[in-house]
Structures are given as structure tokens and as C-alpha cells.
Amino acid sequence: MSVHLSGWTDFCCNSTVKVFKSRLRKVTGKRGNTMLNYKRYQKNPVVTYPEREWPGKEIEKAPIWCSVDLRDGNQALIDPMIVEEKVEMFQYLIQLGFKEIEIGFPAASQIEYDFLRQLIERKLIPDDVWVQVLTQCREEQIARTFESIQGCNQAIVHIYNSTSTLQRDVVFHMDREEITGIALKGTRLVKEYAKAFPGKIVLEYSPESFTGTELDFALDICTAVQKEWGATSENPIIINLPSTVEMNTPNVYADQIEWMNRHFENRESIILSVHPHNDRGTGVASAELALLAGADRVEGTLFGNGERTGNVDILNIAYNMFSQGIDPRLHIEHINEIIEIYERCCKIPIHPRHPYAGKLVFTAFSGSHQDAINKGVHAMKERKGEYWQVPYLPIDPADIGREYEPIVRINSQSGKGGVAFIMDTYFGFKLPKAMHKEFAGTIQAISEKQGEVSPEQIMDQFRIEYLDRKEPLHFRKLHVSDLSGETKTQFDTKVEVGYTDHGELKTFEAVGNGPIDAAQRGMQESLGVSIKVLDYEEHALQSGSNSQAAAYIHLLDSETGRVTYGVGVSSNITRASIRALFSAVNRLELGK
């Protein structure tokens, strides 16, 4: 695209030229002589693997979970946890149901060494929980690691070395054989120290930067470690294939996992683990597809805390499973408690849009969303369905300890369904459908001026518009008589109504087919107006002997064609109905 600016300055001011150049940049993608230099980057290789089977599979059960909050998560904190916070987090992870917890790198940090010693000496590690310790394949670190776990009944010793093409080239300057030698040396050392260890040791090996490693080499080095350890089905090895840096779309990771899964020797002697990071924002997808591809185990953190963009969010995956009717095998019913402890120990706030945990994830501002949620909730109640089925809400927030109150929040984008939902959920008023638009219009006008409208403000406005509409006509007292069998007229009810009109006490008597009909006729006669009740609804506001009733009158002014609703509340449903009638007459301003 070529655009010439010469000559424009003859008849345009400088500011006009600047505006034109700004618009030009938007069209051409250029800023001066530069542009987004995407050519500096190249595609990472994908796997040629047409025999893949994972796309046709489904997740049917939870994996083995391993929390790495106290190691991978902690090392990514601006202000790492102190020992007391680590102890609290460790005990809470156990409470959540984790049976495998990577607690640190004790050979590299005195704080992590001391923390592990406290867990052991204070006997804080339950018999069914495995602590996992990380170490490089170096003798002094492995020796220090085994020193740190003395007195522990069982532990997972996690060794690793980087295997990626790039790191072999620019970091280690080693070939495949040399890199394999590092892994084998570490395995032999762990094996030697494990013989003298009184407890049970499981070896975990990670070819770090697996996603950047050639598959044939990844298989060779993992198989070499597997054989050196002497893994069997009774004494398996954990082979952990980390997405240390996300380098491609999740399907590529799944292909890599399935390829390894199908090419391992003695697969029954391997617990296949994955450790996804989130550099491309697809850590959860990578983990889920890896499970389809054959992974048995997932390492991750609460809320995805970890280096760079984080580790995979174990809670996200677990809640995803829960939403599909799968037992996640974690005690995650109280999300607010998890958030409170996590934020206090990690000093990182949860984003308001974080899946399941964010304050706004179960909140609808959009009018169409609110309407659908409102209808869905009512449909579920009416049908008494076995399964949760509400539009826009994949799970019932109450099932994970969230409240119903924040589901619908009202702003200028909201609609009539949202306002009706608030009135029902918060205050128990089940507004008739035809009334939704009328009251929502009032709230819409407020929201356009101030932004979000709180439930309390909505209720206050409801009182102003309906419940407290007592001028100029204020209903005071009512006496109802049953005329059945007493007269030969078509009417069976007589009412005596006391009220004030602009403060002046007045009464009227009238007959009709029921109290509402009689009161309507009496008001027409005493006020000289023509009104007609179009619809009437009522319901209890709360259960119990002291419950109050709400009544709704849809009223027509026959002379002008105007219609409106009136609302009345009383412990007596008849009095509530007459109050609703007076409310509607006042709203139509027929008492002036």
C-alpha cells in the first residue's frame, strides 16, 4: 500500500497531518519505519503422528494429583513464604486431599531444608502422604537431599536435567550421550542412597524442557533411567514430561505425550506424569489433552501460581471435571476458604475473572444473560430436575461455597430479567412477568446515571415505586362480609374500606365477586374513575406462621388506556391485595 503525503502541508495544518498519519499507521500496521517484527520467530516443530488416538477419548477419572505449590509455586513468589506459612500451606494441601506434595529443593535452600526437618520432627506428615523433594543430578545435592528426609517414612526423590535441543547447544554444549550420562549418574546415586534409607523411596525423573526435546531422544533417556532404576509394576518409576515452556498448541503436547506413552517399554512400570506451564495461556488445555493421551498424574499449583505465566491450575482442572460429573478426588467444596489461605500465604490476589474462583465469574451484567439465568433457575425449581442445567452457569455456585447473591449485578447493560432475579433471590418478591419491564425501566434510568445499582438500592426503589405509594390515597382499614345466601344479588362479598384522601379520612362500601372486585367497584364509585383489574397474583414472602404475603395488581385506566402494577404486603392476603390496588391507583395518579 502506497500513500503519498507530499503537498498536503500546503493546505492542511500540522495537526491534521498528524491525525492522517495516525490513521495511516492503523491501516498499514506501521509506526514510522518499524512494524511488528514477526519474522524474527519461527514455528516450533509439530509431531508427525497420524495414528493419534487421544482426540476420540474422554476424561473419565481424576489423575494422581501432585501439588508443587511449596516448590515451583513458592520460588515464583516476589515474597517467598516463611516457614510458618509453608507449614500452614502444607497442612491445608493435605486437608484439600493431596497425597503427593513437592515441598521444595532442600539441597539448594536452607529455608526449605529447615521446613522439611520441621515437618518430619513435628510429625506433620500423615502416613498416606508422600513428600516430594527436587534435586539436580549432582552428588552433593543428592546427599544433602537424603540427609533432609531422614526420619521420613516415604518420599519421592525428583531428579531432573535439561534435555532440549536448544539447551544442549547454548547452555551445556553437550551431545545426547553426555546429557544421558548426567541422568544416569543421578539415578545411580539415588539408587545407592535409597539402599541405606530406612523408608520407602520412589524415583521421579524429568527430562526438563521436554517440549523442546526430540521425541526419540526423550524416549531414549527416559528408558535408560527406567532401566537403571530397575522399575517394575510393583516398584514403578514416575516419568514426568514437563511442558517447562509452552512452545506450541495443546494438541502438539498431547501428540508428544501419546507418542511417549505408546513407545515406552514395560509401560506398567511407569507412572506417566505431566507438569504443564502456561506460557501460551493453554496450560489447562495441555494438561487435559495429556490426560486423554495417557498421562496418569498431573503436577500443578493452586490457581496456577508459578514462574512466568504460571504452572497449570490444578483447581481449574478439578472443577472442570466436577462440572462434568466426575469426582475430582479433592475436597474443593469451599472455594472462598481456599482463596483466603492462598492469598494470605502467597500474597497474590485472585483475578476477578479467574475461572471458578474470581469474584465476577458467576456474575452476569448482560440483560440477555440475566434473563436466561432467571428463566433457567425457575425452570429447574419447577421441574425438580436431577441435573444442574442453567444457561451461562456451568455449575451451581453454591456447590463450591459461592453465594447466589453476586450472580446477577445490575448496570446499564442489564435487563428486566436481571432486576427480577435480584428481587426474587435477595428479597423474595416474585414479580409477575408483565411487571418486569415496568420496574426494570426505573432501575435502568438510575444505572445510566450512576453505573452499577446495588440490590439494596433496587429494593429501596421498589418501596418508593410500589410499597410506599400511599399518596394521595392511603388505605387504612378493611372489613369484609360474606353475603352468600343473604341476598338475591349476583355479588357474594361486601367490603367496608377506610382510607385517607390527601389526608382527609374517608370510607366507602361496595359489593362484588370477592374483595378485590368489590374494592375496585367502590373506588370507581367514590373517586369517579373507570378502572379494570387485568391480572392478580400473590405469593408468600417467607415460610412459617408469621409469613407475609405479597400481592400484585395489574390495573388499567379505561379512559386513557394506561396500565401499571401496584404491590401490597401484609400478613393477611386480602389486606395485601387491597393495598396493591391502592398502590396501582396512586401510580396511575387517579386520585388527584
Side-chain angles (χ1 to χ4, degrees), residues 60-85:
E60 297 179 345
K61 64 178 182 178
I64 300 167
W65 301 111
C66 177
S67 161
V68 295
D69 290 88
L70 293 168
R71 199 278 299 174
D72 212 345
N74 185 60
Q75 75 182 32
L77 298 178
I78 297 172
D79 184 10
M81 288 181 250
I82 60 175
V83 171
E84 290 78 8
E85 290 169 335

PDB file of all heavy atoms in Angstrom, residues 60-85:
ATOM      1  N   GLU A  60     -12.329 -39.656  32.144  1.00  0.00           N
ATOM      2  CA  GLU A  60     -13.312 -40.422  32.893  1.00  0.00           C
ATOM      3  C   GLU A  60     -13.033 -40.466  34.391  1.00  0.00           C
ATOM      4  O   GLU A  60     -13.918 -40.828  35.173  1.00  0.00           O
ATOM      5  CB  GLU A  60     -13.391 -41.846  32.333  1.00  0.00           C
ATOM      6  CG  GLU A  60     -13.875 -41.888  30.876  1.00  0.00           C
ATOM      7  CD  GLU A  60     -13.924 -43.291  30.323  1.00  0.00           C
ATOM      8  OE1 GLU A  60     -13.319 -44.192  30.951  1.00  0.00           O
ATOM      9  OE2 GLU A  60     -14.555 -43.489  29.272  1.00  0.00           O
ATOM     10  N   LYS A  61     -11.801 -40.132  34.789  1.00  0.00           N
ATOM     11  CA  LYS A  61     -11.481 -40.161  36.213  1.00  0.00           C
ATOM     12  C   LYS A  61     -10.380 -39.154  36.498  1.00  0.00           C
ATOM     13  O   LYS A  61      -9.656 -38.709  35.594  1.00  0.00           O
ATOM     14  CB  LYS A  61     -11.045 -41.552  36.648  1.00  0.00           C
ATOM     15  CG  LYS A  61      -9.760 -42.025  36.001  1.00  0.00           C
ATOM     16  CD  LYS A  61      -9.346 -43.407  36.517  1.00  0.00           C
ATOM     17  CE  LYS A  61      -8.028 -43.851  35.900  1.00  0.00           C
ATOM     18  NZ  LYS A  61      -7.593 -45.160  36.427  1.00  0.00           N
ATOM     19  N   ALA A  62     -10.259 -38.798  37.761  1.00  0.00           N
ATOM     20  CA  ALA A  62      -9.227 -37.847  38.167  1.00  0.00           C
ATOM     21  C   ALA A  62      -7.857 -38.527  38.130  1.00  0.00           C
ATOM     22  O   ALA A  62      -7.741 -39.718  38.393  1.00  0.00           O
ATOM     23  CB  ALA A  62      -9.511 -37.329  39.567  1.00  0.00           C
ATOM     24  N   PRO A  63      -6.810 -37.766  37.824  1.00  0.00           N
ATOM     25  CA  PRO A  63      -5.461 -38.322  37.849  1.00  0.00           C
ATOM     26  C   PRO A  63      -4.910 -38.347  39.274  1.00  0.00           C
ATOM     27  O   PRO A  63      -5.575 -37.928  40.228  1.00  0.00           O
ATOM     28  CB  PRO A  63      -4.676 -37.323  36.992  1.00  0.00           C
ATOM     29  CG  PRO A  63      -5.347 -36.013  37.289  1.00  0.00           C
ATOM     30  CD  PRO A  63      -6.823 -36.345  37.448  1.00  0.00           C
ATOM     31  N   ILE A  64      -3.702 -38.824  39.428  1.00  0.00           N
ATOM     32  CA  ILE A  64      -2.956 -38.612  40.662  1.00  0.00           C
ATOM     33  C   ILE A  64      -2.552 -37.136  40.662  1.00  0.00           C
ATOM     34  O   ILE A  64      -1.976 -36.645  39.695  1.00  0.00           O
ATOM     35  CB  ILE A  64      -1.692 -39.502  40.709  1.00  0.00           C
ATOM     36  CG1 ILE A  64      -2.075 -40.983  40.631  1.00  0.00           C
ATOM     37  CG2 ILE A  64      -0.869 -39.193  41.956  1.00  0.00           C
ATOM     38  CD1 ILE A  64      -0.890 -41.893  40.349  1.00  0.00           C
ATOM     39  N   TRP A  65      -2.896 -36.438  41.719  1.00  0.00           N
ATOM     40  CA  TRP A  65      -2.544 -35.020  41.798  1.00  0.00           C
ATOM     41  C   TRP A  65      -1.259 -34.855  42.612  1.00  0.00           C
ATOM     42  O   TRP A  65      -1.106 -35.471  43.659  1.00  0.00           O
ATOM     43  CB  TRP A  65      -3.647 -34.219  42.500  1.00  0.00           C
ATOM     44  CG  TRP A  65      -5.001 -34.254  41.887  1.00  0.00           C
ATOM     45  CD1 TRP A  65      -6.115 -34.853  42.393  1.00  0.00           C
ATOM     46  CD2 TRP A  65      -5.417 -33.633  40.663  1.00  0.00           C
ATOM     47  NE1 TRP A  65      -7.194 -34.662  41.575  1.00  0.00           N
ATOM     48  CE2 TRP A  65      -6.796 -33.909  40.496  1.00  0.00           C
ATOM     49  CE3 TRP A  65      -4.768 -32.884  39.694  1.00  0.00           C
ATOM     50  CZ2 TRP A  65      -7.526 -33.466  39.409  1.00  0.00           C
ATOM     51  CZ3 TRP A  65      -5.489 -32.430  38.606  1.00  0.00           C
ATOM     52  CH2 TRP A  65      -6.850 -32.714  38.466  1.00  0.00           C
ATOM     53  N   CYS A  66      -0.392 -33.981  42.147  1.00  0.00           N
ATOM     54  CA  CYS A  66       0.779 -33.610  42.928  1.00  0.00           C
ATOM     55  C   CYS A  66       0.851 -32.087  42.985  1.00  0.00           C
ATOM     56  O   CYS A  66       0.988 -31.430  41.951  1.00  0.00           O
ATOM     57  CB  CYS A  66       2.064 -34.173  42.320  1.00  0.00           C
ATOM     58  SG  CYS A  66       3.560 -33.670  43.207  1.00  0.00           S
ATOM     59  N   SER A  67       0.749 -31.546  44.192  1.00  0.00           N
ATOM     60  CA  SER A  67       0.868 -30.102  44.364  1.00  0.00           C
ATOM     61  C   SER A  67       2.339 -29.706  44.405  1.00  0.00           C
ATOM     62  O   SER A  67       3.128 -30.285  45.150  1.00  0.00           O
ATOM     63  CB  SER A  67       0.197 -29.661  45.666  1.00  0.00           C
ATOM     64  OG  SER A  67       0.663 -28.388  46.064  1.00  0.00           O
ATOM     65  N   VAL A  68       2.688 -28.707  43.608  1.00  0.00           N
ATOM     66  CA  VAL A  68       4.057 -28.163  43.652  1.00  0.00           C
ATOM     67  C   VAL A  68       4.034 -26.710  44.137  1.00  0.00           C
ATOM     68  O   VAL A  68       4.929 -25.923  43.847  1.00  0.00           O
ATOM     69  CB  VAL A  68       4.772 -28.291  42.283  1.00  0.00           C
ATOM     70  CG1 VAL A  68       4.971 -29.750  41.932  1.00  0.00           C
ATOM     71  CG2 VAL A  68       4.013 -27.571  41.175  1.00  0.00           C
ATOM     72  N   ASP A  69       2.996 -26.373  44.916  1.00  0.00           N
ATOM     73  CA  ASP A  69       2.867 -25.005  45.436  1.00  0.00           C
ATOM     74  C   ASP A  69       4.049 -24.599  46.305  1.00  0.00           C
ATOM     75  O   ASP A  69       4.463 -23.437  46.283  1.00  0.00           O
ATOM     76  CB  ASP A  69       1.581 -24.883  46.271  1.00  0.00           C
ATOM     77  CG  ASP A  69       0.329 -24.946  45.426  1.00  0.00           C
ATOM     78  OD1 ASP A  69      -0.167 -26.063  45.180  1.00  0.00           O
ATOM     79  OD2 ASP A  69      -0.149 -23.887  45.007  1.00  0.00           O
ATOM     80  N   LEU A  70       4.571 -25.542  47.068  1.00  0.00           N
ATOM     81  CA  LEU A  70       5.623 -25.214  48.021  1.00  0.00           C
ATOM     82  C   LEU A  70       7.016 -25.224  47.392  1.00  0.00           C
ATOM     83  O   LEU A  70       7.993 -24.856  48.049  1.00  0.00           O
ATOM     84  CB  LEU A  70       5.574 -26.189  49.202  1.00  0.00           C
ATOM     85  CG  LEU A  70       4.319 -26.045  50.076  1.00  0.00           C
ATOM     86  CD1 LEU A  70       4.188 -27.196  51.033  1.00  0.00           C
ATOM     87  CD2 LEU A  70       4.355 -24.721  50.833  1.00  0.00           C
ATOM     88  N   ARG A  71       7.126 -25.640  46.140  1.00  0.00           N
ATOM     89  CA  ARG A  71       8.406 -25.594  45.446  1.00  0.00           C
ATOM     90  C   ARG A  71       8.297 -24.697  44.218  1.00  0.00           C
ATOM     91  O   ARG A  71       8.701 -23.546  44.237  1.00  0.00           O
ATOM     92  CB  ARG A  71       8.855 -27.017  45.077  1.00  0.00           C
ATOM     93  CG  ARG A  71      10.361 -27.117  44.777  1.00  0.00           C
ATOM     94  CD  ARG A  71      10.725 -26.688  43.364  1.00  0.00           C
ATOM     95  NE  ARG A  71      10.073 -27.513  42.356  1.00  0.00           N
ATOM     96  CZ  ARG A  71      10.141 -27.264  41.051  1.00  0.00           C
ATOM     97  NH1 ARG A  71      10.806 -26.220  40.598  1.00  0.00           N
ATOM     98  NH2 ARG A  71       9.516 -28.034  40.186  1.00  0.00           N
ATOM     99  N   ASP A  72       7.714 -25.189  43.170  1.00  0.00           N
ATOM    100  CA  ASP A  72       7.616 -24.405  41.942  1.00  0.00           C
ATOM    101  C   ASP A  72       6.818 -23.125  42.178  1.00  0.00           C
ATOM    102  O   ASP A  72       7.170 -22.052  41.680  1.00  0.00           O
ATOM    103  CB  ASP A  72       6.945 -25.252  40.853  1.00  0.00           C
ATOM    104  CG  ASP A  72       7.449 -24.918  39.462  1.00  0.00           C
ATOM    105  OD1 ASP A  72       8.079 -23.868  39.300  1.00  0.00           O
ATOM    106  OD2 ASP A  72       7.215 -25.717  38.543  1.00  0.00           O
ATOM    107  N   GLY A  73       5.717 -23.241  42.931  1.00  0.00           N
ATOM    108  CA  GLY A  73       4.915 -22.062  43.217  1.00  0.00           C
ATOM    109  C   GLY A  73       5.639 -21.070  44.107  1.00  0.00           C
ATOM    110  O   GLY A  73       5.660 -19.864  43.846  1.00  0.00           O
ATOM    111  N   ASN A  74       6.276 -21.576  45.164  1.00  0.00           N
ATOM    112  CA  ASN A  74       6.939 -20.694  46.120  1.00  0.00           C
ATOM    113  C   ASN A  74       8.128 -19.965  45.498  1.00  0.00           C
ATOM    114  O   ASN A  74       8.377 -18.799  45.806  1.00  0.00           O
ATOM    115  CB  ASN A  74       7.386 -21.497  47.337  1.00  0.00           C
ATOM    116  CG  ASN A  74       7.974 -20.618  48.421  1.00  0.00           C
ATOM    117  OD1 ASN A  74       7.313 -19.730  48.941  1.00  0.00           O
ATOM    118  ND2 ASN A  74       9.227 -20.846  48.757  1.00  0.00           N
ATOM    119  N   GLN A  75       8.868 -20.643  44.617  1.00  0.00           N
ATOM    120  CA  GLN A  75      10.051 -19.999  44.048  1.00  0.00           C
ATOM    121  C   GLN A  75       9.674 -18.878  43.086  1.00  0.00           C
ATOM    122  O   GLN A  75      10.521 -18.084  42.695  1.00  0.00           O
ATOM    123  CB  GLN A  75      10.926 -21.030  43.323  1.00  0.00           C
ATOM    124  CG  GLN A  75      10.396 -21.500  41.979  1.00  0.00           C
ATOM    125  CD  GLN A  75      11.296 -22.563  41.351  1.00  0.00           C
ATOM    126  OE1 GLN A  75      11.920 -23.357  42.046  1.00  0.00           O
ATOM    127  NE2 GLN A  75      11.346 -22.573  40.039  1.00  0.00           N
ATOM    128  N   ALA A  76       8.388 -18.814  42.722  1.00  0.00           N
ATOM    129  CA  ALA A  76       7.927 -17.783  41.812  1.00  0.00           C
ATOM    130  C   ALA A  76       7.326 -16.581  42.544  1.00  0.00           C
ATOM    131  O   ALA A  76       6.857 -15.637  41.904  1.00  0.00           O
ATOM    132  CB  ALA A  76       6.890 -18.359  40.846  1.00  0.00           C
ATOM    133  N   LEU A  77       7.326 -16.611  43.879  1.00  0.00           N
ATOM    134  CA  LEU A  77       6.734 -15.518  44.650  1.00  0.00           C
ATOM    135  C   LEU A  77       7.721 -14.367  44.818  1.00  0.00           C
ATOM    136  O   LEU A  77       8.910 -14.596  45.062  1.00  0.00           O
ATOM    137  CB  LEU A  77       6.297 -16.015  46.027  1.00  0.00           C
ATOM    138  CG  LEU A  77       5.215 -17.106  46.057  1.00  0.00           C
ATOM    139  CD1 LEU A  77       4.941 -17.512  47.493  1.00  0.00           C
ATOM    140  CD2 LEU A  77       3.942 -16.634  45.374  1.00  0.00           C
ATOM    141  N   ILE A  78       7.216 -13.156  44.715  1.00  0.00           N
ATOM    142  CA  ILE A  78       8.052 -11.981  44.985  1.00  0.00           C
ATOM    143  C   ILE A  78       8.541 -12.021  46.427  1.00  0.00           C
ATOM    144  O   ILE A  78       9.700 -11.746  46.725  1.00  0.00           O
ATOM    145  CB  ILE A  78       7.251 -10.690  44.727  1.00  0.00           C
ATOM    146  CG1 ILE A  78       6.848 -10.612  43.245  1.00  0.00           C
ATOM    147  CG2 ILE A  78       8.053  -9.462  45.122  1.00  0.00           C
ATOM    148  CD1 ILE A  78       5.898  -9.478  42.922  1.00  0.00           C
ATOM    149  N   ASP A  79       7.653 -12.401  47.328  1.00  0.00           N
ATOM    150  CA  ASP A  79       7.976 -12.518  48.756  1.00  0.00           C
ATOM    151  C   ASP A  79       7.717 -13.963  49.159  1.00  0.00           C
ATOM    152  O   ASP A  79       6.600 -14.316  49.535  1.00  0.00           O
ATOM    153  CB  ASP A  79       7.097 -11.553  49.554  1.00  0.00           C
ATOM    154  CG  ASP A  79       7.441 -11.551  51.037  1.00  0.00           C
ATOM    155  OD1 ASP A  79       8.468 -12.154  51.403  1.00  0.00           O
ATOM    156  OD2 ASP A  79       6.678 -10.952  51.814  1.00  0.00           O
ATOM    157  N   PRO A  80       8.729 -14.841  49.056  1.00  0.00           N
ATOM    158  CA  PRO A  80       8.511 -16.268  49.337  1.00  0.00           C
ATOM    159  C   PRO A  80       7.967 -16.505  50.742  1.00  0.00           C
ATOM    160  O   PRO A  80       8.158 -15.707  51.660  1.00  0.00           O
ATOM    161  CB  PRO A  80       9.913 -16.875  49.174  1.00  0.00           C
ATOM    162  CG  PRO A  80      10.628 -15.933  48.269  1.00  0.00           C
ATOM    163  CD  PRO A  80      10.109 -14.563  48.622  1.00  0.00           C
ATOM    164  N   MET A  81       7.285 -17.626  50.888  1.00  0.00           N
ATOM    165  CA  MET A  81       6.689 -17.968  52.177  1.00  0.00           C
ATOM    166  C   MET A  81       7.766 -18.214  53.234  1.00  0.00           C
ATOM    167  O   MET A  81       8.813 -18.786  52.935  1.00  0.00           O
ATOM    168  CB  MET A  81       5.841 -19.236  52.041  1.00  0.00           C
ATOM    169  CG  MET A  81       4.541 -19.061  51.288  1.00  0.00           C
ATOM    170  SD  MET A  81       3.606 -20.619  51.199  1.00  0.00           S
ATOM    171  CE  MET A  81       3.796 -20.982  49.451  1.00  0.00           C
ATOM    172  N   ILE A  82       7.493 -17.776  54.438  1.00  0.00           N
ATOM    173  CA  ILE A  82       8.352 -18.127  55.573  1.00  0.00           C
ATOM    174  C   ILE A  82       7.933 -19.518  56.058  1.00  0.00           C
ATOM    175  O   ILE A  82       6.916 -20.064  55.624  1.00  0.00           O
ATOM    176  CB  ILE A  82       8.246 -17.080  56.696  1.00  0.00           C
ATOM    177  CG1 ILE A  82       6.793 -16.970  57.209  1.00  0.00           C
ATOM    178  CG2 ILE A  82       8.739 -15.727  56.211  1.00  0.00           C
ATOM    179  CD1 ILE A  82       6.641 -16.038  58.388  1.00  0.00           C
ATOM    180  N   VAL A  83       8.700 -20.078  56.990  1.00  0.00           N
ATOM    181  CA  VAL A  83       8.464 -21.463  57.414  1.00  0.00           C
ATOM    182  C   VAL A  83       7.055 -21.658  57.956  1.00  0.00           C
ATOM    183  O   VAL A  83       6.372 -22.629  57.623  1.00  0.00           O
ATOM    184  CB  VAL A  83       9.519 -21.896  58.456  1.00  0.00           C
ATOM    185  CG1 VAL A  83       9.148 -23.259  59.053  1.00  0.00           C
ATOM    186  CG2 VAL A  83      10.897 -21.962  57.811  1.00  0.00           C
ATOM    187  N   GLU A  84       6.570 -20.704  58.769  1.00  0.00           N
ATOM    188  CA  GLU A  84       5.232 -20.845  59.346  1.00  0.00           C
ATOM    189  C   GLU A  84       4.160 -20.866  58.255  1.00  0.00           C
ATOM    190  O   GLU A  84       3.181 -21.618  58.344  1.00  0.00           O
ATOM    191  CB  GLU A  84       4.948 -19.701  60.333  1.00  0.00           C
ATOM    192  CG  GLU A  84       5.755 -19.771  61.623  1.00  0.00           C
ATOM    193  CD  GLU A  84       7.196 -19.289  61.453  1.00  0.00           C
ATOM    194  OE1 GLU A  84       7.523 -18.767  60.371  1.00  0.00           O
ATOM    195  OE2 GLU A  84       7.986 -19.459  62.403  1.00  0.00           O
ATOM    196  N   GLU A  85       4.334 -20.042  57.232  1.00  0.00           N
ATOM    197  CA  GLU A  85       3.376 -20.029  56.123  1.00  0.00           C
ATOM    198  C   GLU A  85       3.455 -21.321  55.329  1.00  0.00           C
ATOM    199  O   GLU A  85       2.433 -21.851  54.872  1.00  0.00           O
ATOM    200  CB  GLU A  85       3.644 -18.826  55.222  1.00  0.00           C
ATOM    201  CG  GLU A  85       3.296 -17.491  55.864  1.00  0.00           C
ATOM    202  CD  GLU A  85       3.802 -16.296  55.069  1.00  0.00           C
ATOM    203  OE1 GLU A  85       4.796 -16.448  54.315  1.00  0.00           O
ATOM    204  OE2 GLU A  85       3.211 -15.208  55.208  1.00  0.00           O
TER     205      GLU A  85
END
